[in-house]
Amino acid sequence: MPGVFAEVRDGRATWRGASGVADVTTGRPMRPDLLHRVGSITKTFVATALLQLVAERRLVLDAPLRRYLPRLAPDGVTVRMLLDHTSGINDYDHVIFGTVESIEKYQHTTIRPRELVEIGLGQEPTNPPGARHSYSNTNYILAGLLLERITGRPATVEVRRRVLRPLGLWRSYFPGTDPTIDGPHSAGYVPWVGGTLQDFSVYNMSWAWTAGALVSTTTDLNRFFRALLGGRLLRPAELAQMRRTVPADPSVPEGTGYGLGLLSLPLPGGLVWGHDGVVLGHHTMSLHSPDGRRQVTVALNATHYWVPGQPDPISEALFRFILTAFGEPTAGRRTLTGRAGHGLLTPAPGTAALAAPLPVLSRR
């Protein structure tokens, strides 16, 4: 792992730290204030904006999605099923990133939201609507289109108007089709064919849009989640709906739960709430006590692979750091229980094409 940085908050006390390098070529050191692609943490912002529409009685969670998006919604899918990933709609990212060549192709290619939805809907459903949790980015592309249909404004503009600006999150933004990160940031590395590290920090994130395109900082993410969990963005009724979870893995009902754009993770001291985000070369985890007073957001600048059954010191170090941040004992604990969606530490969307070289790449 080239570099890592984090911000931990406990009430009014804040600790920031960084280790390693932001650029393996120049040796530029990592800094705790850098911008970062936060991937699927974007979903929590989008879900928050939609739940504000629920509070305004402009959206009904258990209404058929076809009421709002008649030409795109499958039979039986409700708004809630999009937000907690129980719709059964399949994911598009393993289709558009099916080969190494396609990963390189989309680095400088714009793909529109409706194209992404059509790809997702063009695959067999993962399950009947409402049957179980099955994480799919297609759900949150549809959520973005839903936000646009109801408000009449671009989805990213609406998230900025409803969430980013009121909280003063001035360093958080959607890059649109601009492949660069606008401000100080680290490289974003993917272990690549031939045993090298390839920097994908320059990448057209239109493929992720409202499912994972947000750029932010550890400070902004902590500020957002404290405001969200503290009741500044949603009324109690809508926040309670957001925290109504389904098992991320039905075989482990006591493990990670997934609500409406918000996951719960059981620690010995109780549940923590937040989300993780993984895109090419950037990984972020943002976890918080139920009231948002104790917080940890940590970012890594490389996609992390591991070989099942082999030691995984990077994951162990990350988990121990998170447990320490929450004041939890770390002795004898090698992993956090339950993994959501992509998992709390799994390869990024778009890297399935690299599965064959994993035994080589994971040793680097």
Side-chain angles (χ1 to χ4, degrees):
M1 183 58 58
V4 58
F5 60 101
E7 179 182 275
V8 178
R9 300 177 73 188
D10 185 6
R12 295 183 179 181
T14 300
W15 174 91
R16 298 181 183 94
S19 183
V21 296
D23 188 312
V24 299
T25 302
T26 66
R28 174 167 57 94
M30 189 63 93
R31 289 168 26 197
D33 61 342
L34 295 180
L35 290 157
H36 201 70
R37 299 195 191 279
V38 301
S40 288
I41 297 175
T42 305
K43 293 177 172 69
T44 316
F45 288 77
V46 172
T48 298
L50 286 170
L51 283 164
Q52 289 180 354
L53 294 176
V54 172
E56 296 164 13
R57 299 186 178 182
R58 301 167 68 185
L59 178 66
V60 178
L61 281 174
D62 293 311
L65 185 60
R66 282 198 165 178
R67 178 186 297 182
Y68 308 102
L69 298 173
R71 297 183 180 180
L72 293 174
D75 287 334
V77 173
T78 66
V79 174
R80 184 188 300 275
M81 292 175 194
L82 289 185
L83 301 185
D84 67 7
H85 296 288
T86 59
S87 71
I89 297 171
N90 215 319
D91 209 335
Y92 61 81
D93 64 31
H94 61 267
V95 175
I96 66 171
F97 292 124
T99 65
V100 169
E101 289 75 20
S102 64
I103 295 173
E104 294 175 324
K105 169 189 173 182
Y106 284 104
Q107 187 171 10
H108 299 288
T109 300
T110 295
I111 184 166
R112 302 298 177 188
R114 286 181 179 267
E115 295 178 70
L116 297 171
V117 170
E118 289 169 2
I119 293 169
L121 293 177
Q123 302 172 78
E124 284 294 317
T126 58
N127 51 266
R132 64 179 177 88
H133 175 90
S134 181
Y135 197 95
S136 173
N137 286 311
T138 313
N139 287 321
Y140 272 78
I141 301 299
L142 282 163
L145 293 173
L146 175 61
L147 187 56
E148 293 189 336
R149 180 64 179 268
I150 294 174
T151 65
R153 283 184 282 265
T156 56
V157 170
E158 197 66 10
V159 173
R160 183 166 67 246
R161 188 178 76 87
R162 290 176 172 270
V163 181
L164 303 184
R165 285 181 179 172
L167 296 181
L169 307 183
W170 307 117
R171 300 189 69 201
S172 299
Y173 74 99
F174 287 91
T177 59
D178 183 350
T180 62
I181 298 174
D182 186 17
H185 62 279
S186 75
Y189 294 106
V190 175
W192 203 242
V193 176
T196 61
L197 286 175
Q198 184 148 326
D199 179 8
F200 280 108
S201 58
V202 175
Y203 208 97
N204 184 329
M205 294 298 294
S206 61
W207 71 270
W209 196 47
T210 49
L214 188 70
V215 174
S216 190
T217 66
T218 55
T219 296
D220 274 9
L221 290 181
N222 280 342
R223 188 177 299 164
F224 164 69
F225 277 102
R226 180 169 288 187
L228 175 65
L229 297 172
R232 289 181 55 195
L233 292 170
L234 296 175
R235 301 185 314 177
E238 283 69 46
L239 186 56
Q241 291 290 335
M242 194 177 222
R243 290 183 173 186
R244 179 177 157 185
T245 63
V246 296
D249 182 350
S251 68
V252 189
E254 73 282 3
T256 301
Y258 200 95
L260 306 185
L262 187 70
L263 65 82
S264 64
L265 186 70
L267 297 182
L271 287 180
V272 295
W273 297 86
H275 213 289
D276 62 329
V278 187
V279 291
L280 289 160
H282 289 92
H283 185 175
T284 313
M285 297 177 67
S286 194
L287 299 171
H288 313 269
S289 63
D291 60 3
R293 289 185 59 80
R294 191 69 173 257
Q295 305 181 272
V296 56
T297 297
V298 57
L300 303 90
N301 67 344
T303 300
H304 173 51
Y305 292 108
W306 69 94
V307 179
Q310 293 189 12
D312 184 7
I314 291 174
S315 295
E316 289 185 26
L318 178 58
F319 293 146
R320 287 177 182 274
F321 173 75
I322 290 168
L323 290 169
T324 300
F326 281 108
E328 300 278 4
T330 61
R333 294 186 59 84
R334 297 175 64 87
T335 63
L336 293 172
T337 56
R339 292 183 173 183
H342 307 307
L344 293 179
L345 252 186
T346 56
T351 55
L354 301 177
L358 281 185
V360 174
L361 299 180
S362 64
R363 290 196 293 268
R364 294 189 60 81

